[in-house]
Amino acid sequence: MQNRPCILLCNLKPAKMRGIMSHAMVMCASTPDKVEILCPPAGAKPGDRVTVQGYEGAPDDQLNPKKKVFESIQPDFLVSPEGRALYKGVPWCVNGGFITAPSMRSCGIK
């Protein structure tokens, strides 16, 4: 995972994981048998914002864990049969390029 581009969800409440403070979640295509890190499009740079057409707006500074925002929207995160990350059927993009799963298809994203 080191020195590899990935997609991060950064507005989560910081939490300790294995004794280290975590401030983000790595987004992955996921099945019960396999997990694969989602890939940004070529040319994406660290800090570029992920967008989903029709869901524009400013992100919350930090998601309130008591409101379970992530848990309520996560079931709508899917990988298409073409390998694109989707939210409610709409592709996730960075600077107009698609976020993809390298080999996994038609599965969830966690």
Side-chain angles (χ1 to χ4, degrees):
M1 209 170 121
Q2 191 171 356
N3 297 323
R4 179 179 176 174
C6 61
I7 302 300
L8 299 172
L9 180 61
C10 296
N11 62 346
L12 301 173
K13 181 178 178 182
K16 260 193 177 176
M17 297 189 73
R18 298 185 182 200
I20 298 172
M21 219 40 173
S22 174
H23 296 271
M25 179 187 302
V26 177
M27 302 307 292
C28 298
S30 178
T31 68
D33 300 319
K34 187 176 178 183
V35 174
E36 184 173 81
I37 296 172
L38 294 179
C39 296
K45 298 180 295 305
D48 283 347
R49 186 170 172 192
V50 174
T51 60
V52 178
Q53 187 174 12
Y55 297 93
E56 293 81 10
D60 295 338
D61 289 332
Q62 182 176 325
L63 296 179
N64 183 338
K66 291 181 182 178
K67 292 187 178 179
K68 306 237 180 251
V69 175
F70 178 76
E71 292 83 356
S72 70
I73 63 173
Q74 184 274 325
D76 293 316
F77 292 172
L78 300 170
V79 176
S80 72
E82 299 78 30
R84 294 179 180 164
L86 307 174
Y87 173 63
K88 293 188 174 182
V90 183
W92 298 11
C93 295
V94 174
N95 300 327
F98 298 115
I99 293 169
T100 58
S103 67
M104 296 178 70
R105 302 291 182 261
S106 303
C107 62
I109 296 173
K110 292 186 179 181

